[in-house]
């Protein structure tokens, strides 16, 4: 028996340990509840271990009598603590703190008495043979234990009542099981069933509490939407169902904040429990909607409704801002009608009640002005009847604001793109007739159309849709953009994309929620293997994002070395891998954007309102999935992906073809130079900012044809010390008859990526040195600054080309300064250091252009041998408006001077700016204050005038 009992004890201890683990990993529990359950389960472990220890000691007779005494003391002290801890778990809903503290003190006193009894034997005693006996005051233990047990059962009953009578049967079963175990143990002490029974009851208690949390809506403590649906499905007799909706709850959230909105929800829920709780089940089904399933006839429901409204008015006396609640009910007979018919009837009754409330209490006051006067009820109903006569499909609904003929015109223009318009105050929406027919919707006009639409959405997508729509109608979001699957009239699921926005009213006019639904069920728009949209749809999406000036991150992804996969697993295996990859990509992007299958083994997606960090994080996740979670049968097939990205924003005016070109370039960089990391296309919002892509071809041809149509302008660099021109920066320009002079930002960033820039860069250097030859002869210290691109530095013959130009044009290297652009500073510091050292060893000066922006940093100055810093104009502008900006500009100039570097401040346009930089002891400045960039003739004239002063 002892061996069997020991096994039982070990099983109980192991089971309690498992429950401790489950409680601490249960996401439904708060941290405090986790601690309470842990303490409860450990108390059971302590109790059964002390009982087992005493039993083992008894087996040795009186030799270990003291062990039996103290184990019994611990066991009898812990026994009443277990039900007390159960009550503690339920305390928030069951008991007041004062009563809890009284009972806690009682348990402490009881434990003290048990301790004294170990010496005095008045509650229990152990004889010389180690046998446990009841003392004359054993009733103290029994009363304490029974009292605490009644206390926890009462708490459980109150919680069950609070949760509308659920799980009372489980409470009765737990009570019976506990009584059976205790009685059996008292009748025969060798049975040892008490603590085993307690362990079972505690386990059932954990199930009881967990089940309650799953049934409940955490905010209101009413039953959840899932519970509501389950109860409806189990109904077998006619029942009254009622819907309650908080009027203008969205406006309440906007005007008073979401915290007050939550308080209103709890207040309404409390009144519902008080009035309806004894007569049916109260549920919260949506953000501001509740449902009650009632036992009784219509007269009983009317009486309960009157009680509810009266109780709510009492609450409004204490809180005048508390919104009103509209009601609607219907009788549901499961034997002869569908529940959706009853819900539509209930919703129609609710709408009529809302209209009456609006007439009675006036429109919602959305501004600071007083509420408008109530409308005349008779005239309002007359208007309802007129509207219904004019629009027979409205089914008696208020279709105000939805009857414009423009809606019908747009709705009829497409078979696969549907529009909808919802009056957010009345809850009535209008839908395209094509959508009504294709998806078998009840009517063109629907009350709570979003609810009806949700019932047709695929179960796996329904929660995502529900959460997003709830955020719109609660005021937390102003836009809706999702892709999901919807069941059509044939019972087939088709992929749809829904985009909607909230159109705010001006106080008197209501808010509208309007949008479009695109049906992608046409086979040629969806890839047959992956189920993703094809490349044509991707291009359309980019065009739409650009037209809408949307903030989005567009990413293209390729699978590296996929022909090897096809060779290993065949075409069918390759298609299965692509299908799995498409599923993973769609799941990752779901709710945040849209995924596409492009040609071959390339995919793409975009993310709404996402930046580079979010895109990189998703790409890293996708790469891990591709490497570790792609399988064919039991074989894991690791995939290696690479990707390019483009950041779109409100100021991006590129065409979709240029965005796609930038994506291709970024992907090539990812594959070739960045070890398959996600690469963002450089300066995407500044590259080739013209609509006519043909201009690129013209510029390319000009570059290859001896740099025809290119010309140079020069901007003076002026010394603060002398006020004289000491040099100039040569700037590339392009001019053609068809386009005029093209702004440099519209072609230089793109041209620097083109292989043709190598001859262009050499032409700039040679032409600038040639055109400024006369100035050097007149002023031998004249310095010519020429920008160089990263593509030039990477070119093997660049060193020789620069030296050959200097030799051919008889230009001393000391008169040349090469400016490193932003792209150059992104190169390897070691490579840059070697290149710059070479040029400086030949007497050529080096300057860092746009210092302080992009990749410029003080650490870069420690690595690169440079002579001059060209300080970006952003520091000058900041210095004019803030002390911090002035301090930073002064620090840069002073630090450079102390490090032996010259400084040239760019963007000086006024005398005040010039005086400011001069006061900071800057060396040179460049900007429109001296001169804008001009051709060589005008620049020579400017220099002669300046030198002659």
């Amino acid at each position: 028996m002892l061996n069997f009992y020991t096994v039982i004890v070990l099983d109980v201890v192991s089971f309690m340990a498992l429950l401790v683990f489950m409680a601490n990993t249960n996401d439904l529990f708060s941290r405090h509840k986790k601690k309470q359950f842990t303490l409860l389960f450990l108390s059971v472990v302590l109790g059964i271990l002390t009982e087992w220890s005493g039993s083992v000691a008894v087996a040795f007779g009186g030799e270990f009598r003291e062990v039996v005494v103290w184990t019994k003391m611990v066991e009898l002290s812990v026994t009443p603590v277990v039900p007390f801890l159960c009550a503690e778990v339920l305390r928030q809903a069951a008991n007041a703190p004062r009563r809890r503290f009284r009972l806690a003190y009682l348990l402490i006193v009881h434990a003290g008495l048990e301790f004294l009894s170990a010496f005095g034997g008045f509650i229990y005693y152990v004889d010389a043979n180690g046998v446990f006996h009841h003392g004359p005051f054993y009733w103290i233990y029994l009363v304490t234990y029974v009292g605490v047990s009644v206390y926890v059962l009462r708490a459980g009953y109150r919680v069950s009542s609070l949760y509308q009578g659920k799980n009372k049967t489980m409470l009765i079963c737990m009570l019976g099981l506990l009584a059976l175990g205790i009685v059996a143990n008292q009748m025969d002490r060798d049975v040892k069933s008490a603590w085993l029974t307690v362990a079972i009851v505690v386990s059932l208690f954990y199930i009881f509490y967990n089940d309650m949390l799953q049934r409940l809506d955490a905010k209101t403590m009413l039953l959840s939407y899932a519970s509501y649906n389950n109860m409806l499905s189990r109904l077998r007799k006619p029942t009254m169902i009622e819907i309650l909706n908080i009027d203008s709850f969205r406006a309440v959230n906007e005007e008073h904040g979401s915290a007050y909105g939550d308080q209103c929800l709890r207040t309404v829920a409390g009144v519902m429990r008080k009035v309806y709780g004894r007569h049916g089940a109260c549920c919260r089904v949506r953000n501001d909607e509740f449902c009650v399933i009632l036992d009784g006839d219509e007269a009983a429901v009317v009486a309960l409704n009157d009680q509810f409204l009266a109780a709510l008015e009492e609450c409004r006396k204490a809180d005048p801002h508390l919104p009103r609640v509209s009601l609607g009910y219907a009788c549901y007979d499961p034997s002869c009608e569908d529940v959706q018919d009853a819900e539509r009837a209930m919703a129609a009754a609710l709408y009529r009640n809302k209209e009456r409330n609006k007439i009675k209490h006036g429109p919602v006051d959305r501004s600071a002005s007083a509420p408008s006067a109530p409308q005349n009820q008779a005239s309002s109903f007359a208007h309802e009847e007129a509207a219904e006569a004019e629009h027979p499909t409205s089914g008696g609904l208020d279709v105000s604001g939805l009857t414009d003929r423009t809606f019908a015109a747009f709705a009829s223009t497409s078979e696969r793109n549907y529009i909808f318009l919802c009056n957010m105050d009345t809850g009535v929406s209008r839908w395209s007739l094509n959508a009504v027919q294709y998806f078998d919707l009840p009517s063109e006009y629907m009350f709570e159309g979003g609810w009806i639409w949700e019932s047709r959405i695929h179960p796996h997508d329904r929660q995502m849709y529900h959460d997003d729509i709830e955020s719109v109608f609660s005021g937390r979001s102003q836009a809706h953009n999702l892709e999901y699957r919807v069941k059509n009239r044939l019972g087939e699921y088709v992929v749809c994309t829904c985009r909607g926005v909230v159109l705010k009213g001006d106080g008197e006019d209501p808010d509208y929620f309007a949008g479009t639904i695109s049906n992608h069920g046409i086979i040629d728009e969806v890839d047959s293997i992956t189920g993703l949209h094809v490349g044509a749809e991707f291009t359309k999406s980019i065009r739409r994002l650009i037209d809408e000036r949307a903030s989005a991150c567009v990413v293209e992804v390729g699978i590296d070395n996929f022909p090897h996969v096809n060779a290993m697993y065949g075409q069918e295996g390759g298609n299965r891998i692509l299908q799995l990859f498409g599923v993973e990509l769609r799941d990752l992007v779901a709710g945040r954007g849209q995924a596409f299958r492009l040609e071959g083994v390339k995919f793409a997606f975009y993310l709404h309102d996402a930046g580079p960090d979010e895109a990189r994080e998703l790409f890293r996740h996708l790469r891990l999935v591709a490497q570790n979670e792609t399988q064919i049968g039991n074989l894991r097939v690791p995939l290696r992906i690479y990707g390019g990205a483009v950041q779109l924003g409100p100021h991006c005016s590129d065409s979709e073809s240029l965005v796609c070109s930038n994506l291709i370039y970024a992907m090539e960089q990812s594959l070739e130079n960045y070890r398959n990391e996600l690469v963002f296309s450089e300066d995407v919002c500044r590259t080739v900012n013209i609509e006519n892509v043909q201009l690129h071809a013209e510029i390319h041809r000009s570059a290859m044809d001896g740099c025809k149509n290119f010309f140079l302008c020069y901007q003076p660099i002026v010394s603060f010390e002398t006020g004289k021109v000491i040099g100039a920066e040569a700037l590339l320009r392009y001019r053609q008859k068809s386009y005029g002079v093209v702004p440099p930002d519209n072609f230089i960033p793109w041209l620097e990526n083109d292989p043709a820039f190598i001859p262009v860069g050499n032409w700039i250097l040679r032409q600038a040195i040639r055109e400024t030859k006369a100035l050097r002869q007149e002023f031998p210290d004249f310095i010519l600054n020429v920008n160089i691109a990263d593509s030039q530095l990477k070119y093997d013959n660049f060193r020789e080309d620069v030296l050959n130009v200097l030799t051919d044009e008889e230009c001393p290297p000391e008169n040349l300064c090469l400016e490193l652009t932003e792209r150059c500073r992104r190169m390897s510091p070691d490579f840059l250091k070697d290149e710059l050292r070479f040029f400086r060893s030949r007497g050529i000066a080096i300057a860092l252009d746009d210092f302080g922006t992009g990749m410029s940093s003080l650490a870069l100055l420690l690595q690169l041998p440079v002579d001059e810093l060209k300080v970006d104009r952003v520091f000058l502008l900041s210095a004019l408006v803030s002390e911090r900006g002035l301090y930073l500009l002064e620090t840069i100039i002073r630090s450079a001077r102390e490090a032996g570097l010259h400084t040239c401040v760019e963007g000086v346009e006024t005398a005040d700016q010039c005086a400011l930089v001069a006061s900071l002891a800057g060396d040179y400045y460049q900007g429109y204050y001296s001169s804008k960039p001009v051709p060589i003739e005008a620049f020579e004239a400017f220099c002669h005038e300046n030198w002659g002063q």
Side-chain angles (χ1 to χ4, degrees):
M1 175 181 175
L2 184 60
N3 291 336
F4 177 76
Y5 175 55
T6 301
V7 172
I8 294 298
V9 170
L10 291 175
D11 286 341
V12 171
V13 171
S14 301
F15 187 56
M16 290 298 106
L18 177 61
L19 287 178
V20 169
F21 174 78
M22 293 173 62
N24 282 276
T25 56
N26 193 328
D27 293 332
L28 296 176
F29 292 174
S30 66
R31 182 180 299 177
H32 184 60
K33 289 299 176 191
K34 292 177 180 180
K35 290 180 180 179
Q36 288 180 332
F37 269 109
T38 300
L39 186 59
L40 172 61
F41 298 142
L42 292 180
S43 299
V44 175
V45 171
L46 177 61
I48 197 168
L49 286 179
T50 53
E51 181 190 61
W52 174 80
S53 301
S55 300
V56 173
V58 169
F60 293 91
E63 184 179 355
F64 295 96
R65 177 183 174 277
E66 292 299 322
V67 175
V68 178
V69 171
W70 292 108
T71 55
K72 282 298 179 182
M73 187 277 294
V74 174
E75 179 185 351
L76 294 177
S77 299
V78 170
T79 301
V81 173
V82 173
F84 173 76
L85 291 175
C86 292
E88 275 296 278
V89 172
L90 303 173
R91 180 178 61 84
Q92 292 181 352
N95 300 289
R98 183 179 302 174
R99 194 172 295 174
R100 173 175 64 93
F101 286 127
R102 289 177 181 175
L103 191 56
Y105 296 144
L106 178 62
L107 291 176
I108 294 174
V109 171
H110 171 260
L113 292 175
E114 295 289 352
F115 178 81
L116 294 176
S117 182
F119 299 98
F122 54 92
I123 296 179
Y124 76 94
Y125 65 93
V126 179
D127 61 20
N129 295 322
V131 179
F132 169 80
H133 296 280
H134 297 167
F137 293 92
Y138 187 73
W139 58 267
I140 294 176
Y141 163 77
L142 293 177
V143 170
T144 304
Y145 183 76
V146 172
V148 178
S149 299
V150 172
Y151 174 72
V152 70
L153 289 172
R154 182 172 179 269
Y157 180 83
R158 291 187 62 185
V159 170
S160 181
S161 300
L162 187 64
Y163 299 163
Q164 303 163 70
K166 301 301 176 185
N167 283 356
K168 287 184 178 179
T169 304
M170 182 177 288
L171 284 174
I172 297 173
C173 292
M174 284 192 288
L175 175 62
L177 181 61
L178 183 62
L180 177 63
I182 293 175
V183 169
N185 190 75
Q186 293 297 320
M187 292 179 64
D188 185 357
R189 295 176 187 174
D190 293 332
V191 173
K192 305 294 183 185
S193 61
W195 277 106
L196 176 60
T197 305
V198 169
I200 296 174
V201 170
V202 166
S203 305
L204 293 175
F205 175 79
Y206 175 83
I207 297 172
F208 167 85
Y209 188 84
N210 199 52
D211 182 68
M212 282 296 177
L213 292 184
Q214 292 179 350
R215 289 172 180 260
L216 292 176
D217 170 68
K219 190 171 292 183
T220 62
M221 293 303 173
L222 299 182
L223 297 178
S224 64
Y225 181 57
S227 297
Y228 167 75
N229 285 329
N230 291 335
M231 286 186 290
L232 284 181
S233 65
R234 293 195 300 266
L235 291 176
R236 295 295 180 268
K237 63 179 182 178
T239 307
M240 302 298 296
I241 57 175
E242 183 171 43
I243 184 172
L244 300 89
N245 182 270
I246 300 179
D247 293 340
S248 308
F249 185 67
R250 187 169 179 271
V252 171
N253 272 332
E254 291 179 349
E255 294 173 12
H256 303 289
S258 59
Y260 177 75
D262 293 344
Q263 177 184 331
C264 293
L265 291 173
R266 287 189 287 269
T267 301
V268 172
V271 176
M272 287 179 60
R273 259 195 315 268
K274 181 179 179 181
V275 175
Y276 298 107
R278 296 183 179 180
H279 306 278
C282 303
C283 312
R284 183 189 179 201
V285 295
R286 294 182 190 280
N287 185 48
D288 59 347
E289 287 183 359
F290 306 85
C291 279
V292 184
I293 302 176
L294 293 166
D295 296 326
D297 55 12
E298 184 173 355
V301 173
V302 172
L304 289 174
N305 289 347
D306 291 340
Q307 295 178 31
F308 172 78
L309 294 176
L312 206 61
E313 284 302 314
E314 290 297 320
C315 295
R316 285 180 55 81
K317 292 179 181 178
D319 182 9
H321 297 293
L322 184 68
R324 290 179 170 82
V325 177
S326 297
L327 313 170
Y329 60 88
C331 181
Y332 169 51
D333 188 352
S335 63
C336 61
E337 66 177 326
D338 189 270
V339 67
Q340 292 184 354
D341 295 332
E343 287 178 337
R344 279 194 285 268
M346 178 176 64
L350 169 68
Y351 170 71
R352 290 192 293 269
N353 189 270
K354 288 178 76 72
E355 283 297 290
R356 292 189 182 96
N357 279 345
K358 185 180 294 186
I359 295 170
K360 181 178 180 180
H361 302 292
V364 179
D365 181 19
R366 294 182 178 271
S367 62
S369 60
S372 57
Q375 302 176 19
N376 180 272
Q377 189 168 354
S379 63
S380 177
F381 286 125
H383 178 74
E384 276 186 40
E385 293 173 1
E388 185 172 353
E390 182 179 355
H391 302 281
T393 60
S394 64
L397 301 177
D398 178 5
V399 295
S400 56
L402 306 175
T403 59
D404 196 319
R405 287 179 295 175
T406 306
F407 182 96
F410 279 106
S412 61
T413 57
S414 175
E415 293 292 329
R416 58 180 296 273
N417 293 313
Y418 319 117
I419 63 174
F420 62 87
L421 182 64
C422 175
N423 186 323
M424 299 183 73
D425 281 2
T426 65
V428 179
S429 57
R430 185 180 181 184
W431 294 63
S432 298
L433 285 175
N434 289 335
V436 174
Q437 296 169 3
Y438 186 86
F439 295 103
D440 194 25
L441 300 176
S443 173
E444 179 183 5
Y445 296 92
M446 291 181 286
F447 179 72
E448 296 292 353
W451 193 353
I452 298 172
W453 183 249
E454 180 178 331
S455 67
R456 287 160 169 78
I457 293 178
H458 193 283
H460 290 171
D461 301 335
R462 194 170 296 162
Q463 188 62 44
M464 174 182 65
Y465 168 86
H466 177 85
D467 293 343
D468 200 74
I469 285 294
E470 185 179 63
S471 69
V472 170
F473 277 80
S474 64
R476 298 194 304 271
S477 176
Q478 299 295 314
H480 168 71
N481 193 331
L482 282 181
E483 179 180 290
Y484 44 75
R485 292 159 288 182
V486 189
K487 184 187 294 184
N488 61 19
R489 66 179 183 273
L490 301 177
E492 302 169 341
Y493 283 102
V494 295
V495 177
C496 290
T497 300
C498 180
R499 300 183 182 90
V501 294
V502 175
L503 307 175
K504 301 287 290 184
D506 58 4
E508 296 181 359
D509 294 334
D511 292 350
Y512 288 96
F513 179 52
T516 61
I517 298 174
S518 298
N519 184 351
H520 302 293
I522 302 175
I523 190 65
D524 60 354
E525 294 184 357
V526 176
D527 177 54
S528 59
I529 296 175
T530 62
L532 300 177
H533 298 297
V534 296
E537 290 296 304
F538 176 59
T539 305
K540 293 178 184 177
S541 297
I542 294 178
R543 185 185 306 121
R544 177 181 52 78
L545 292 171
I546 294 173
D547 292 342
E548 294 175 356
R549 296 291 189 264
S551 295
C553 196
V554 184
V555 181
E556 187 170 340
V557 179
I559 302 177
D560 192 14
N561 200 23
F562 198 78
H564 177 72
V565 175
N566 275 332
M568 291 287 293
Y569 304 102
Q571 184 176 359
E572 182 178 354
N575 288 343
R576 288 180 60 189
I577 291 173
L578 293 176
Q579 186 177 17
L580 290 172
F581 186 83
V583 169
E584 296 292 347
L585 179 59
R586 173 184 286 179
D587 289 345
L588 287 175
V589 177
R592 295 187 287 173
Q594 191 171 355
F596 305 86
R597 163 87 187 279
L598 307 184
E599 75 283 352
V601 292
K602 293 182 180 178
F603 297 78
F605 63 89
Y606 65 82
L607 301 175
H608 286 290
D609 299 321
D613 291 342
E614 186 174 350
R616 288 191 175 96
E617 181 62 30
L618 190 146
F619 183 81
R620 281 193 289 268
H621 194 171
L622 182 64
R623 185 167 58 187
L624 289 175
V625 170
Q627 290 174 348
N628 303 316
E629 300 182 20
T630 307
Q631 289 185 326
I632 298 180
N634 295 325
L635 295 176
R636 186 172 68 88
V637 185
L639 302 178
R640 189 165 180 258
I641 65 172
Y642 58 99
V646 167
Q647 184 71 51
L648 301 181
H651 304 294
C652 180
S653 57
D654 296 345
S655 66
E656 65 273 12
S657 60
L658 292 178
V659 172
C660 291
S661 297
N662 287 329
L663 284 172
I664 293 172
Y665 172 75
M667 287 188 66
E668 292 174 351
Q669 292 295 310
S670 172
L671 187 60
E672 296 174 4
N673 301 321
Y674 290 88
R675 296 183 297 180
N676 292 48
E677 294 289 337
L678 182 65
V679 175
F680 275 77
S681 177
E682 299 175 354
D683 304 325
V684 61
C685 291
R686 292 181 287 156
T687 54
V688 197
N689 193 13
I690 48 179
E691 296 298 324
N692 189 1
V693 182
Q694 182 64 30
L695 176 61
H696 287 178
E698 295 289 343
I699 293 176
H700 181 83
R701 281 193 291 269
S702 296
M704 302 307 294
D705 188 20
C707 295
K708 181 181 178 182
N709 298 324
F710 287 103
F711 68 99
L712 297 178
C713 286
Y714 301 87
Q715 188 169 38
I717 298 175
V718 182
S719 169
F720 279 112
E721 181 180 357
T722 64
K724 302 295 184 181
V725 175
I726 59 95
E729 180 180 355
L731 301 168
L732 181 66
R733 297 293 185 264
Y734 181 82
R735 175 175 52 213
Q736 198 202 45
K737 185 177 181 180
S738 303
Y739 302 99
V741 177
V742 179
D745 286 346
N746 287 354
F747 74 93
I748 290 180
W750 165 82
L751 185 59
E752 287 181 347
N753 282 328
D754 194 281
F757 191 72
I758 299 300
V760 172
N762 289 340
W763 178 88
I764 293 172
L765 182 62
R766 185 178 296 275
Q767 188 71 9
I769 292 175
R770 182 176 297 170
E771 290 183 346
T772 57
K773 183 176 182 179
L775 292 174
R776 285 194 306 276
Q777 292 175 347
E778 186 174 353
F779 185 62
D781 294 331
F782 182 87
I783 303 296
L784 176 65
N785 286 41
V786 178
N787 291 292
I788 56 174
D790 59 335
S791 57
Q792 292 175 276
L793 285 174
K794 294 176 183 177
Y795 183 55
D796 293 338
N797 296 329
F798 180 63
R799 293 182 179 185
E800 297 179 9
D801 289 345
V802 172
L803 298 180
N804 289 339
V805 169
L806 291 175
T807 301
D808 295 344
E809 302 299 330
E810 299 178 349
C811 175
E814 293 78 10
N815 291 97
L816 178 63
C817 178
L818 299 179
E819 292 190 13
L820 293 182
T821 59
E822 167 70 16
R823 296 173 187 271
C824 295
R825 298 196 294 267
R826 299 185 183 186
M827 303 173 71
S828 166
D830 292 335
F831 174 81
L832 274 178
K833 186 187 302 182
D834 291 340
E835 293 298 306
L836 301 186
R837 280 178 177 171
F838 171 82
F839 289 117
R840 291 187 80 236
S841 68
R842 300 303 191 271
I844 301 173
I846 303 296
L848 279 183
D849 195 16
D850 298 328
F851 180 78
T853 63
M855 297 295 293
S856 295
S857 67
L858 294 176
L860 201 60
L861 292 180
L862 297 175
Q863 298 174 338
L864 302 183
V866 298
D867 303 281
E868 180 182 329
L869 302 183
K870 301 197 71 174
V871 183
D872 192 83
R873 68 188 302 265
V874 68
F875 289 96
L876 175 60
L877 298 178
S878 178
L880 296 171
V881 297
S882 70
E883 292 185 0
R884 176 181 293 181
L886 179 61
Y887 178 76
L888 288 176
L889 180 59
E890 180 183 9
T891 300
I892 292 173
I893 293 175
R894 184 179 66 251
S895 300
R897 182 174 62 253
E898 292 176 355
L901 304 177
H902 294 293
T903 55
C904 176
V905 179
E906 298 178 305
V908 176
E909 298 180 352
T910 66
D912 291 340
Q913 295 176 357
C914 184
L916 173 65
V917 181
S919 68
L920 301 178
D923 294 312
Y924 317 121
Y925 73 89
Q926 179 180 341
Y928 276 45
Y929 179 62
S930 60
S931 172
K932 65 179 182 181
V934 294
I936 185 61
E937 295 81 6
F939 179 71
E940 288 178 342
F942 175 83
C943 290
H944 290 143
E945 181 181 354
N946 177 268
W947 292 337
Q949 293 177 356

